[in-house]
Amino acid sequence: MPQYQEKTIVTRVEHLSDENVRLTLKAPQIASACKPGQFVMIRAALGKDPLLRRPFSIHQADSSGHIQVYFKIVGRGTDLLAHLKVGEEVSVLGPLGKAFTIDKDRPVCLVGGGLGIAPMLYLAKEISRSKTGSTNGDLVILGGRTKGEVEPVMADFDEIGIRTLATTDDGSYGTKGFVTELLKSSDLPANTQVYACGPEPMMGAVSLWCEEQKLACQVSVESVMACGMGACLGCSRPVGDGKYVHVCLDGPVFDARELKWNS
Ligand SMILES: Cc1cc2nc3c(=O)[nH]c(=O)nc-3n(C[C@H](O)[C@H](O)[C@H](O)COP(=O)(O)OP(=O)(O)OC[C@H]3O[C@@H](n4cnc5c(N)ncnc54)[C@H](O)[C@@H]3O)c2cc1C
Ligand code: FES
């Protein structure tokens, strides 16, 4: 699979809430090679602070050569990225990691929690593009702590035409509660493929519920990453029996049954 270290140009910076930013980058090589679920490593600054690139899921990619990332400002790297201006140059490495597997003949349920929403937009678009039949049975569930995490991206999901439900912990947008509650009450067909990305406890809960219901579930997981390419051993994750996987190479997308979850 081709990977590029590309000098990209910032074409749009959207501050969707106080903490959440969406960055559009002109990255023709990466945009033409990437698939939903893959990620990029972005160098936040030209100097040595911070030295390491930061990993971000690909939020959208289009045929005009643009990619988007949707992120939360949590530290120095994301703060620098949030202050980029249109026309500035940013070094991006990607696409990296394993993508989601799409079966165009199955109903799907996409579950995104918090910034786990980021890869779900690209995935939903690709599913809608690849399906020849109806998407009536398909469902997207988006959840966040509060309105600012979910509401700004709802219009993008609505445009795709897949039924999309929102939930927030504080009830400020959509229903009040967790994505898992909506998932459990949604009466999914037996052959539904569930896709999930979000905080670890959320993905653990989704994975265990899918296992009980005998529903296939793919998850995109996060870990601290230094290289993103299998060289630093920084991203290992237990899979049980004392064995580990590299999230950057073996993931970030896994069949949920492959991973060990704390119940
Ligand atoms: C494959 C992958 C895809 C990701 N996709 C996205 C995305 O689409 N949108 C998004 O907002 N974030 C995403 N992340 C997390 C993102 O990489 C981190 O938020 C970012 O690296 C923080 O950089 P920083 O310099 O701002 O923060 P730092 O100064 O490095 O850290 C600030 C705080 O954030 C915590 N933190 C740092 N990295 C992570 C991490 N990977 N997971 C949880 N907490 C972390 C630190 O422990 C610390 O408390 C992804 C991570 C991975 C591994
Ligand atoms: S991030 Fe370096 S090995 Fe995975």
Side-chain angles (χ1 to χ4, degrees):
M1 186 170 297
Q3 281 160 357
Y4 305 96
Q5 182 170 317
E6 197 166 9
K7 281 184 184 168
T8 70
I9 302 294
V10 178
T11 58
R12 195 169 180 200
V13 185
E14 296 167 87
H15 288 265
L16 299 183
S17 74
D18 286 349
E19 295 179 320
N20 295 2
V21 180
R22 185 152 68 177
L23 206 57
T24 308
L25 302 165
K26 180 89 180 165
Q29 291 177 307
I30 295 172
S32 66
C34 64
K35 294 198 164 52
Q38 290 190 293
F39 66 100
V40 290
M41 298 285 288
I42 305 185
R43 190 182 293 288
L46 291 175
K48 290 189 176 166
D49 176 30
L51 184 63
L52 298 173
R53 293 173 184 272
R54 298 293 192 252
F56 298 96
S57 304
I58 299 171
H59 176 57
Q60 298 202 69
D62 66 27
S63 53
S64 71
H66 291 85
I67 61 166
Q68 279 186 340
V69 291
Y70 174 45
F71 63 90
K72 182 172 178 169
I73 303 170
V74 294
R76 174 106 175 110
T78 44
D79 189 51
L80 284 165
L81 292 175
H83 286 92
L84 284 169
K85 300 273 180 292
V86 169
E88 283 191 83
E89 196 179 277
V90 192
S91 170
V92 182
L93 177 67
L96 298 165
K98 297 228 167 88
F100 290 110
T101 303
I102 297 174
D103 178 345
K104 60 183 176 52
D105 299 320
R106 293 174 78 160
V108 296
C109 178
L110 281 60
V111 187
L115 267 295
I117 290 172
M120 292 302 160
L121 185 58
Y122 188 15
L123 178 62
K125 284 191 171 177
E126 208 56 37
I127 287 171
S128 149
R129 238 195 309 267
S130 64
K131 279 200 173 182
T132 43
S134 157
T135 56
N136 283 349
D138 296 343
L139 177 64
V140 177
I141 300 173
L142 305 179
R145 277 176 308 142
T146 188
K147 184 177 176 177
E149 278 186 16
V150 185
E151 192 259 350
V153 292
M154 276 302 278
D156 295 296
F157 282 91
D158 285 340
E159 261 179 26
I160 304 171
I162 298 179
R163 189 163 68 103
T164 302
L165 303 176
T167 176
T168 47
D169 298 359
D170 63 2
S172 54
Y173 187 73
T175 57
K176 185 175 190 308
F178 295 143
V179 287
T180 40
E181 290 161 35
L182 274 183
L183 177 68
K184 288 176 187 176
S185 63
S186 30
D187 201 17
L188 303 175
N191 62 336
T192 300
Q193 170 69 65
V194 176
Y195 299 96
C197 184
E200 188 75 14
M202 180 211 108
M203 282 198 289
V206 171
S207 302
L208 293 173
W209 182 77
C210 287
E211 205 172 329
E212 282 164 22
Q213 304 299 311
K214 301 198 176 2
L215 292 174
C217 178
Q218 295 175 41
V219 290
S220 175
V221 301
E222 284 189 14
S223 67
V224 175
M225 286 189 186
C227 73
M229 304 185 75
C232 72
L233 309 180
C235 63
S236 61
R237 182 190 167 105
V239 287
D241 297 333
K243 295 193 179 108
Y244 287 82
V245 286
H246 285 118
V247 174
C248 68
L249 281 186
D250 304 314
V253 175
F254 294 90
D255 182 317
R257 289 165 305 184
E258 285 176 55
L259 300 175
K260 190 170 158 49
W261 302 100
N262 295 320
S263 46

